[in-house]
Amino acid sequence: MSNLIQALKRMPGLGPKSAERIAFHILRIPQKDAKALAFSILKVKERIKFCSRCGNLSEEDLCDICKDSNRDRSIICVVEQPNDILAVEKTSAFKGLYHVLGGALSPLDGIEPQNLRIKELFGRLKKERIKEVIIATDSDSEGETTALYLADRLKRTQIKVTRIAFGLPAGTNLEYADEVTLSNAIEGRRNL
Ligand SMILES: [Zn+2]
């Protein structure tokens, strides 16, 4: 039992209390449910790898998005992690391709351009007929640093570079918005 709690505690976002609660829950569920859970963990480790082109999660060499001939191949959305792709896909607002960097620049933590999939991105820009790159890194300082770095390097190409606008969550009152969010919302404004 303590092995299980220890293992769960190492999961992102799980503190000791939640780890214990999940461990006791697992103890109570039927044998077949516990087996199914263990099996799905093993299966994910065995079968899921990274797409050789965009870095998305995939069961094959190329992911479903890279293989999909209905996607717009002239536009690439650059994100930090594969789960960012899921978030953008849920909106159905984007029908182009993706490129996963595998993180964001953070010189203090030793994360330099060569630690991210930036070389791979520029390799794609040379080979594929890309007209626009949307930089959709996070709006924290690492994400902003990464966006500026990429925008600067892309200036030398013919490719249009855009940054997603970060605005107010739906349903927020202006008076409760923090300054950074509000100033990003104003900067990212578009024509009506
Ligand atoms: Zn892919």
Side-chain angles (χ1 to χ4, degrees):
M1 195 62 183
S2 73
N3 280 347
L4 179 59
I5 296 173
Q6 285 306 321
L8 288 168
K9 262 204 285 196
R10 287 195 288 269
M11 303 277 172
L14 286 190
K17 277 262 177 320
S18 319
E20 269 180 44
R21 216 171 48 231
I22 293 171
F24 279 104
H25 171 76
I26 291 171
L27 198 59
R28 279 192 300 260
I29 59 176
Q31 190 77 10
K32 71 169 183 13
D33 292 356
K35 271 197 181 138
L37 175 66
F39 184 65
S40 59
I41 293 173
L42 287 176
K43 212 164 63 177
V44 123
K45 288 305 292 177
E46 276 165 21
R47 288 191 15 203
I48 310 287
K49 43 195 179 185
F50 297 99
C51 172
S52 65
R53 191 177 295 164
C54 74
N56 188 14
L57 301 178
S58 180
E59 287 192 22
E60 289 163 57
D61 182 47
L62 287 181
C63 74
D64 290 341
I65 294 175
C66 284
K67 277 191 297 197
D68 185 348
S69 56
N70 292 319
R71 312 271 319 191
D72 182 349
R73 299 189 166 267
S74 69
I75 177 162
I76 285 188
C77 178
V78 176
V79 295
E80 291 183 18
Q81 300 293 353
N83 51 355
D84 297 326
I85 294 183
L86 287 179
V88 179
E89 284 297 292
K90 265 191 217 151
T91 68
S92 311
F94 179 71
K95 287 282 168 256
L97 303 175
Y98 291 93
H99 190 85
V100 180
L101 294 174
L105 292 176
S106 181
L108 287 179
D109 301 314
I111 303 179
E112 309 276 350
Q114 66 270 23
N115 303 115
L116 302 175
R117 299 181 64 253
I118 290 177
K119 202 173 78 196
E120 288 85 346
L121 173 65
F122 283 87
R124 288 182 69 183
L125 297 179
K126 260 191 209 138
K127 263 189 279 170
E128 300 172 39
R129 289 200 180 127
I130 308 295
K131 292 196 189 109
E132 181 178 353
V133 171
I134 302 178
I135 304 174
T137 51
D138 290 345
S139 65
D140 55 16
S141 68
E142 290 83 9
E144 286 297 334
T145 306
T146 311
L148 290 175
Y149 174 83
L150 290 177
D152 189 55
R153 282 193 54 183
L154 285 161
K155 246 193 279 177
R156 287 166 246 162
T157 67
Q158 298 294 307
I159 301 164
K160 179 178 169 190
V161 186
T162 54
R163 174 94 169 105
I164 54 164
F166 288 95
L168 305 164
T172 347
N173 284 323
L174 279 200
E175 56 184 321
Y176 302 131
D178 66 274
E179 278 165 51
V180 179
T181 307
L182 191 51
S183 78
N184 284 337
I186 292 171
E187 275 171 31
R189 72 191 184 279
R190 48 190 185 146
N191 292 329
L192 281 177

